[in-house]
């Protein structure tokens, strides 16, 4: 009886995690995977030389400049000057993930994503300037 109850609880727990990911959760997960893979390309000796050609990239899916950044990154990654870099497994995986993120944002989730900033420089530096909305500006003016 205990074994049956345990099996039931395990099966309920497994089915609870079977919900399909939303478009937004898939974008967030894929952008984190890309950042992790990009970090690995800069660390590993076999891909360090290849990573030197890639532009710096800090993905923020709430930045309206993300599509242009992904497109530029893909162009550079697919046209690396060193042929050996184009076929390295880690570089191929990175290109696939970036292309998948680009396609998902462009085709599947283009209406689901909310852009909170348009700071294109933040995708290069990783630092986003604070963005004041009208309410925040009004509070700042009242305190002066």
């Amino acid at each position: 009886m205990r074994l049956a109850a345990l099996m039931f609880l395990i099966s309920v727990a497994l089915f609870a995690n079977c919900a399909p990911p939303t478009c937004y959760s898939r974008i967030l997960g894929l952008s984190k995977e890309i950042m992790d893979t990009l970090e690995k390309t800069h660390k590993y000796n076999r891909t360090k030389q290849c990573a030197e050609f890639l532009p710096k990239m800090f993905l923020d899916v709430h930045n309206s400049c993300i599509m242009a950044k992904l497109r530029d990154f893909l162009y550079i990654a697919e046209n690396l000057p060193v042929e050996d870099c184009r076929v390295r497994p880690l570089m191929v995986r990175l290109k696939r993930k970036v292309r998948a993120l680009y396609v998902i944002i462009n085709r599947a989730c283009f209406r689901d994503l909310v852009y909170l900033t348009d700071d294109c420089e933040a995708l290069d530096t990783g630092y986003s300037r604070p963005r004041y909305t009208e309410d925040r500006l009004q509070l700042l003016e009242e305190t002066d």
Side-chain angles (χ1 to χ4, degrees):
M1 185 68 175
R2 283 186 171 175
L3 183 61
L6 182 64
M7 294 294 285
F8 176 74
L9 287 175
I10 291 174
S11 64
V12 168
L14 288 175
F15 284 121
N17 290 330
C18 290
T22 63
C23 216
Y24 181 70
S25 64
R26 180 65 182 136
I27 288 173
L28 287 178
L30 198 52
S31 64
K32 184 177 178 353
E33 287 177 29
I34 290 170
M35 292 304 297
D36 292 342
T37 307
L38 193 58
E39 186 177 325
K40 287 178 186 175
T41 59
H42 285 283
K43 282 184 181 177
Y44 293 154
N45 288 333
R46 291 184 176 180
T47 56
K48 271 186 184 179
Q49 178 190 9
C50 305
E52 291 174 1
F53 296 108
L54 297 175
K56 288 190 176 190
M57 184 167 63
F58 298 93
L59 290 180
D60 176 14
V61 297
H62 299 106
N63 193 325
S64 63
C65 301
I66 192 167
M67 293 301 289
K69 185 67 175 177
L70 291 174
R71 187 177 49 243
D72 294 347
F73 187 88
L74 268 176
Y75 178 79
I76 292 169
E78 289 176 352
N79 297 302
L80 289 170
V82 180
E83 179 67 33
D84 191 36
C85 289
R86 291 184 216 157
V87 294
R88 293 223 179 255
L90 192 58
M91 297 300 290
V92 170
R93 191 175 326 130
L94 179 64
K95 288 188 285 188
R96 271 194 205 130
K97 287 180 181 184
V98 171
R99 188 177 300 113
L101 181 62
Y102 182 82
V103 168
I104 289 171
I105 292 174
N106 197 26
R107 294 186 184 155
C109 303
F110 67 94
R111 292 189 182 164
D112 295 341
L113 209 52
V114 175
Y115 297 117
L116 303 175
T117 183
D118 60 351
D119 186 11
C120 295
E121 190 177 314
L123 294 176
D124 294 328
T125 62
Y127 175 74
S128 182
R129 295 183 303 238
R131 183 171 166 251
Y132 296 118
T133 59
E134 289 180 27
D135 296 338
R136 177 79 172 132
L137 284 176
Q138 203 171 31
L139 286 173
L140 288 173
E141 288 174 1
E142 290 175 2
T143 58
D144 288 341

